[in-house]
Amino acid sequence: MEKEELHKKLDNFLAGNNKESVDGELFSLLVRMDECRKKACPPNKERMWKHVRNALKLSRRRELMRKWAVAAAIVMPLTVGLCFYDYRSDEVVPVPENMGKRHQVSLTLNDGRVLQVQQWNNDSVIQESGTGILVSVGQQMIYHAEKVQLKEEIFNTLSVPRSTEYQVQLSDGTRVWLNSESELRYPVDFVSTERKVFLRGEAYFQVAKDTNKPFRVVVNDMMVEALGTGFNINAYQDDNCLRTTLVEGKVRISYSDTRQECILVPGEQAVLKEGVLTSGQVNVDDIIAWKKGRFVFSDMPLEIIANQLERWYDVEIRFDDTVAKYYRFTGVMKRYNELEQVLGLIEETTNVRFKVEGRQVKVFRNL
């Protein structure tokens, strides 16, 4: 019965149905399969079947052979990506046509190696100081801590450039959505008495509950502490303030410079600007719309809108007329629309016009 359940989990994973909830049993299976792939490299199908069967001690081989064949077909192509990690190969991994060098999500390992995780064409499993990392093509990264006792925390850094967004599931089960031009530094396994991560840019956190280890996010001199909570932090430097918005649960915001502190309830936002910490009610759905693939601008100055468009479309927006910065716009648009579509909608209801020249956008008032 247990084997049938494990087999069902693998089928769902290969079909892309449960990549957000990889448990320890399934993760161990993926690691074993990858080890089998290495032993059978260069590819030898008969040897690979043997290693897979022996590792999992399967019965009913005839019935399961067809489905394990699918699993092997997925694992065998991982050779190039994993050799790149384990043996520091100089071989260049092909970049998909729709992924330019400017927009590569990168993972910096503890030893300083920088890996371009979106270059691979197949899901990959790698190891970092006893912690397994499942990299799902173009979607997310999942950490699963093995039974290895680390004496100190080992950190990774995930960097998401402009025009991109990415997800990571930390070793404690906490899920993080990173917006464009953002960076998260975190332990591969939380071995300390607290779970502390460091953020630059914007991210949404769905924190796994652990009453014995508080979860803390450090942003410059501000700290957000949570227990079993969903919240969004916006800390882009060009916005000149830090915003924490609570969706569910409870968080404590503290600012060390002035020892200010506040506790948020769902639907509230804390803003740290020019050394002053304030809080108030906001529309949460508008704040986290980026996570659902939407731009939501509610009576927003064009200067603030321009900052968001620059990060997402990787362009530079220049206001030839300073007054135009303060014009306001309200609208909801898909983030995956072409830039020209978004600019066109703004032009229809605002007294401005845009001129696109390559990666530069000029803004003029209609006089």
Side-chain angles (χ1 to χ4, degrees):
M1 186 67 179
E2 293 180 357
K3 293 177 183 177
E4 292 178 357
E5 287 297 320
L6 182 57
H7 184 214
K8 184 177 179 180
K9 290 179 183 179
L10 179 62
D11 269 353
N12 288 334
F13 175 81
L14 295 177
N17 297 329
N18 68 336
K19 292 184 179 180
E20 296 180 354
S21 57
V22 177
D23 58 20
E25 187 178 31
L26 177 56
F27 197 94
S28 296
L29 170 61
L30 294 172
V31 172
R32 289 178 194 171
M33 291 173 64
D34 187 61
E35 289 173 350
C36 295
R37 190 272 309 154
K38 291 178 182 177
K39 293 176 182 178
C41 183
N44 182 313
K45 293 183 180 180
E46 291 302 320
R47 288 177 59 194
M48 190 165 185
W49 302 143
K50 181 178 178 180
H51 285 303
V52 171
R53 290 195 296 267
N54 289 342
L56 300 174
K57 297 180 181 179
L58 292 176
S59 60
R60 300 171 61 196
R61 294 180 182 176
R62 290 184 180 179
E63 181 181 347
L64 298 178
M65 182 61 71
R66 179 186 62 81
K67 294 182 178 179
W68 283 117
V70 177
I74 296 293
V75 175
M76 288 172 64
L78 301 182
T79 304
V80 175
L82 288 169
C83 287
F84 177 77
Y85 289 111
D86 299 336
Y87 306 110
R88 304 192 187 198
S89 169
D90 292 328
E91 182 177 356
V92 177
V93 181
V95 180
E97 293 181 2
N98 62 343
M99 183 61 64
K101 292 183 179 179
R102 296 176 55 87
H103 305 140
Q104 286 292 317
V105 173
S106 64
L107 176 67
T108 303
L109 300 182
N110 189 61
D111 62 6
R113 281 182 293 162
V114 179
L115 312 174
Q116 307 297 337
V117 300
Q118 287 184 309
Q119 289 187 348
W120 308 322
N121 296 320
N122 301 280
D123 293 352
S124 303
V125 178
I126 61 176
Q127 293 283 333
E128 169 76 320
S129 303
T131 296
I133 309 172
L134 171 63
V135 181
S136 180
V137 176
Q139 298 179 21
Q140 65 176 339
M141 191 177 296
I142 299 173
Y143 282 72
H144 180 76
E146 302 292 341
K147 295 180 180 179
V148 177
Q149 295 296 324
L150 298 177
K151 294 182 179 180
E152 60 181 15
E153 290 184 323
I154 304 298
F155 282 84
N156 282 179
T157 301
L158 185 62
S159 302
V160 180
R162 289 184 168 195
S163 304
T164 312
E165 55 192 19
Y166 202 72
Q167 296 181 35
V168 58
Q169 180 173 305
L170 306 181
S171 61
D172 67 333
T174 293
R175 296 179 63 197
V176 186
W177 287 257
L178 284 164
N179 204 348
S180 55
E181 204 168 31
S182 299
E183 181 177 282
L184 186 70
R185 182 172 179 265
Y186 51 91
V188 298
D189 190 17
F190 294 101
V191 298
S192 180
T193 56
E194 63 177 354
R195 297 172 289 167
K196 183 182 288 187
V197 301
F198 302 84
L199 174 68
R200 181 181 64 81
E202 182 172 20
Y204 179 86
F205 294 83
Q206 189 68 50
V207 180
K209 293 183 178 180
D210 187 344
T211 55
N212 297 319
K213 286 188 178 182
F215 189 93
R216 297 185 172 107
V217 183
V218 178
V219 186
N220 298 332
D221 295 323
M222 186 182 76
M223 180 179 292
V224 179
E225 180 178 337
L227 284 171
T229 299
F231 60 95
N232 191 86
I233 297 179
N234 183 308
Y236 288 115
Q237 291 184 352
D238 52 12
D239 287 344
N240 298 319
C241 67
L242 307 179
R243 297 183 179 90
T244 302
T245 307
L246 184 61
V247 178
E248 58 181 339
K250 183 169 67 175
V251 296
R252 177 185 292 108
I253 317 294
S254 56
Y255 181 50
S256 59
D257 281 9
T258 58
R259 297 184 180 180
Q260 295 176 81
E261 185 177 290
C262 70
I263 295 178
L264 299 183
V265 297
E268 289 187 335
Q269 180 183 81
V271 178
L272 177 61
K273 186 172 184 179
E274 297 178 351
V276 178
L277 184 63
T278 59
S279 64
Q281 291 285 331
V282 294
N283 186 324
V284 170
D285 291 335
D286 289 357
I287 304 298
I288 64 172
W290 67 268
K291 179 173 165 281
K292 301 176 181 179
R294 299 196 305 270
F295 285 120
V296 176
F297 305 127
S298 181
D299 194 33
M300 189 176 292
L302 288 185
E303 183 178 25
I304 304 301
I305 293 175
N307 289 340
Q308 293 191 34
L309 298 182
E310 284 181 333
R311 287 190 288 265
W312 185 246
Y313 292 105
D314 192 18
V315 294
E316 178 186 350
I317 300 180
R318 192 178 75 191
F319 289 84
D320 281 11
D321 190 325
T322 305
V323 176
K325 293 182 179 181
Y326 305 103
Y327 284 9
R328 294 178 175 271
F329 174 77
T330 296
V332 179
M333 291 168 279
K334 293 181 180 178
R335 276 161 62 97
Y336 303 103
N337 285 344
E338 295 293 333
L339 174 61
E340 288 75 8
Q341 290 179 272
V342 175
L343 298 180
L345 289 172
I346 296 176
E347 286 180 335
E348 288 180 8
T349 57
T350 310
N351 194 31
V352 297
R353 57 187 175 85
F354 300 93
K355 184 178 182 181
V356 180
E357 298 176 340
R359 291 182 48 250
Q360 187 174 88
V361 180
K362 295 181 180 180
V363 187
F364 305 92
R365 277 197 302 162
N366 287 324
L367 299 176

